[in-house]
Amino acid sequence: ELSLGGCTELTNGVLEPLVDDCNSLTTLRLDGCRRIDDVGIGTLMERDATKGMRLPQLTAIDVSKLPEVSDAGICELVHDRSNLTDLNVALCGRVGDASLRALAANCAELRALNLTATAVTNEGLAALAQGCPKLARVNLTRCAEVGDDGVIMLAVRCTELASLFVARCAAVTDASLGALGSFSRELAELHIAGCEAITDAGVVAVAAGCAKLGAFLLDTCSGITDAGICEVAKRCTLLHTLQAI
């Protein structure tokens, strides 16, 4: 594992020699290295005629909080990365659907994906759900263009989904929670804080269908009343965290 998170002075030129010949590296963290851009990300995938693909054993990558990284860099990063299981691109505002399509085409083993405050949409999520059916943890917090169509596709296609964050996704409604209640039997953690369009009906659907739910955060959801919260408390016998303030 190599953790360079928070190294704000780290540049593209320094990154390449740092990772060169690290053939056994499985985890790389570059979160907050704000001077790294698409060029630097591209060096992680460069191939050599004699050495082959750089970082061949890499399974977990954190490139969150890199404002200069876009779809171009992420698409190059995940190309032929069939063993990738964990990717964090949170707060990379220039990352969108092209990255999700690249993941769908190359990373069938992906299990964890953090897309917080990125530019992804329902269309990209639909492609992702089809190509990465093993997804278990997805964070879509503050993804303004994400709504029911994308969440429903995740629920239907990714049957191992255990943790889902859709906090502050204004377009997510009871329809999404209905799909989760119907298809997401493994769901143990759900964050819907700030989803004003969700009502008691959606909460009850999750409570009725997601028997493994242990953490449910639904604060600042004005459409949810005491009746809905009581239903969750009654039905979800494994619940250990309920945040509704």
Side-chain angles (χ1 to χ4, degrees):
E1 177 176 343
L2 177 60
S3 180
L4 300 171
C7 294
T8 56
E9 298 304 312
L10 187 71
T11 64
N12 295 335
V14 174
L15 181 59
E16 183 173 358
L18 276 176
V19 301
D20 202 22
D21 293 325
C22 294
N23 292 330
S24 299
L25 192 68
T26 60
T27 301
L28 176 62
R29 292 189 57 193
L30 298 172
D31 50 305
C33 299
R34 300 176 62 85
R35 298 182 66 181
I36 300 296
D37 58 18
D38 289 338
V39 174
I41 294 299
T43 65
L44 301 179
M45 275 302 295
E46 286 181 357
R47 292 165 172 78
D48 183 274
T50 57
K51 297 180 182 179
M53 184 173 71
R54 182 171 283 159
L55 305 179
Q57 303 300 319
L58 203 60
T59 60
I61 308 171
D62 187 343
V63 290
S64 60
K65 297 177 283 187
L66 303 187
E68 300 304 317
V69 169
S70 70
D71 282 330
I74 299 302
C75 288
E76 188 171 359
L77 176 65
V78 304
H79 182 66
D80 282 346
R81 191 71 69 177
S82 59
N83 55 344
L84 186 67
T85 61
D86 190 331
L87 178 64
N88 188 344
V89 292
L91 302 176
C92 295
R94 299 172 62 196
V95 170
D97 288 348
S99 293
L100 298 191
R101 289 191 289 270
L103 286 167
N106 293 278
C107 306
E109 298 299 316
L110 192 67
R111 294 191 57 81
L113 180 60
N114 191 334
L115 295 165
T116 297
T118 55
V120 299
T121 73
N122 291 329
E123 182 180 347
L125 286 178
L128 177 74
Q130 292 185 22
C132 303
K134 295 182 181 181
L135 276 168
R137 302 192 307 277
V138 180
N139 193 332
L140 298 167
T141 300
R142 289 167 47 204
C143 289
E145 300 301 318
V146 167
D148 290 330
D149 289 347
V151 175
I152 290 171
M153 282 296 293
L154 286 175
V156 172
R157 297 280 185 174
C158 304
T159 56
E160 298 178 37
L161 192 64
S163 175
L164 178 65
F165 287 53
V166 289
R168 314 291 181 230
C169 294
V172 171
T173 75
D174 289 339
S176 291
L177 271 63
L180 291 170
S182 296
F183 298 100
S184 301
R185 302 305 185 193
E186 300 300 315
L187 194 66
E189 181 180 27
L190 179 60
H191 291 232
I192 60 170
C195 294
E196 299 288 345
I198 291 176
T199 71
D200 287 343
V203 169
V204 170
V206 167
C210 302
K212 295 184 179 181
L213 195 65
F216 200 180
L217 282 76
L218 38 78
D219 47 306
T220 62
C221 293
S222 59
I224 299 173
T225 70
D226 289 347
I229 294 172
C230 288
E231 195 67 21
V232 171
K234 180 173 68 175
R235 290 175 178 260
C236 299
T237 57
L238 299 181
L239 197 68
H240 56 76
T241 301
L242 178 62
Q243 186 169 314
I245 298 176

